[in-house]
Amino acid sequence: MSRIESLAEYLRAEGRRKLDRVEVRDGGRNARSALALLDAAAYTRSLGDDDPLMTVLVETGCFGPHGFDDFQPGEQVAGLVRSWESGEPWQLLMAIRCALQGTPA
């Protein structure tokens, strides 16, 4: 599995997890989050391996110590993805990149 596919699969799995989540009176939050994450997963598949986001993910160890493992986000990225409720796919990916680089989104 390529890095792009691995990242997309992670986002897709998180989106599906949100779809399965039932909370009384969530006001549609989980549904919005699921759609945003599934949209981001589809968008991610259009990226190239030379995309700057992929470089940051590799450099920060999200694909293991040598950059060849499946996508394994740290707690910071996992928390960002879990809390993502809405927005354009590129906004989520930019937020991940900024979080890993320590710059404001």
Side-chain angles (χ1 to χ4, degrees):
M1 178 181 308
S2 75
R3 291 176 184 148
I4 296 289
E5 291 169 342
S6 181
L7 174 57
E9 181 53 37
Y10 172 78
L11 294 172
R12 192 172 22 262
E14 287 297 310
R16 284 192 303 254
R17 187 180 67 77
K18 290 282 189 166
L19 281 176
D20 291 340
R21 190 174 182 141
V22 176
E23 293 180 23
V24 177
R25 295 183 211 100
D26 80 344
R29 185 183 69 244
N30 285 324
R32 281 190 307 277
S33 179
L35 289 174
L37 292 172
L38 293 171
D39 196 20
Y43 176 82
T44 298
R45 293 182 73 73
S46 72
L47 300 177
D49 286 328
D50 60 344
D51 188 277
L53 170 66
M54 299 313 292
T55 302
V56 171
L57 292 175
V58 170
E59 289 174 354
T60 56
C62 291
F63 292 101
H66 303 291
F68 299 112
D69 297 333
D70 287 338
F71 182 70
Q72 303 165 9
E75 198 52 43
Q76 184 178 22
V77 171
L80 178 64
V81 170
R82 280 192 305 267
S83 67
W84 192 256
E85 193 169 313
S86 64
E88 294 295 322
W90 65 267
Q91 291 172 313
L92 172 58
L93 299 180
M94 183 61 74
I96 290 171
R97 181 178 173 188
C98 290
L100 291 171
Q101 291 179 319
T103 58

